[in-house]
Amino acid sequence: MTGQHDAATESHRPFAEPACLDLADPDTLRQLWDLQRASYAVEAQLIGFDGIPPLHESLEQLRACDECFIGVRDESKLVGAVGWTRLPNGALDICRLVVHPIAHRRGVATTLLDALDSIEPAELAIVSTGTANLPAVALYRRRGFVPVCERQIAPGVMVTELQRQNTSATQPIHNS
């Protein structure tokens, strides 16, 4: 069997429902770290910049981050994850969304974002991605995110910040 055939077979495995990730578990931490390195290596190629901070994050830095995570596994490993925080104003800040290259175009990112919307409804959600990362920009736009600004992070490298207003996540107002 060739390595190419093995990769093709692996890419068609079904994946499990999203679940919370416990970064205190060394195996989960290592799988998330490996996953984000593989995912951000693809983005680095797309945007022509390998200075993406999570690409160079240590295991200790990842474990110490203040994000919550949910992930998706196939039969053998973590193939996608999303990390987020809540800002003081209540906005949901999607800090990272990573999908292993073997799981691209299988709905992993959509599944993760659907799960995040379900467990963390927010009136305002924000995210940023490399402007040249057209698949990520398209994914967020399909989900109702609109670009609000671009900023240069290195010579010739732009990041697009996007946000989504969700009026259905508004808490009811109670009159006193």
Side-chain angles (χ1 to χ4, degrees):
M1 206 180 273
T2 68
Q4 194 171 31
H5 178 68
D6 291 342
T9 302
E10 187 172 354
S11 70
H12 292 4
R13 290 183 182 161
F15 51 85
E17 290 296 314
C20 291
L21 300 179
D22 178 6
L23 300 191
D25 174 62
D27 185 52
T28 299
L29 177 67
R30 173 58 79 164
Q31 285 189 42
L32 178 58
W33 186 76
D34 289 342
L35 167 63
Q36 80 175 17
R37 289 180 53 82
S39 179
Y40 283 119
V42 172
E43 182 169 14
Q45 280 189 310
L46 288 171
I47 69 174
F49 178 68
D50 70 355
I52 301 167
L55 188 57
H56 303 285
E57 192 171 48
S58 70
L59 283 166
E60 295 75 25
Q61 289 169 320
L62 178 57
R63 182 182 13 254
C65 80
D66 63 351
E67 298 166 40
C68 298
F69 287 91
I70 52 177
V72 169
R73 298 178 187 277
D74 68 5
E75 295 169 352
S76 63
K77 66 182 174 186
L78 194 62
V79 295
V82 61
W84 73 93
T85 62
R86 281 288 179 168
L87 300 177
N89 68 358
L92 181 71
D93 183 3
I94 301 171
C95 304
R96 59 185 102 200
L97 175 61
V98 290
V99 176
H100 196 283
I102 65 163
H104 283 177
R105 313 216 34 92
R106 289 179 46 206
V108 172
T110 297
T111 297
L112 287 164
L113 292 173
D114 286 349
L116 182 57
D117 284 345
S118 176
I119 65 172
E120 288 286 336
E123 289 181 38
L124 176 65
I126 61 172
V127 68
S128 25
T129 190
T131 303
N133 186 347
L134 300 179
V137 171
L139 169 71
Y140 292 122
R141 290 187 69 117
R142 281 192 308 272
R143 298 191 65 84
F145 285 81
V146 294
V148 292
C149 69
E150 287 185 352
R151 59 186 166 83
Q152 184 172 317
I153 59 167
V157 181
M158 302 297 291
V159 167
T160 299
E161 296 180 16
L162 303 102
Q163 69 179 25
R164 179 184 66 195
Q165 297 284 334
N166 183 2
T167 55
S168 65
T170 305
Q171 299 298 319
I173 298 173
H174 299 286
N175 295 328
S176 308

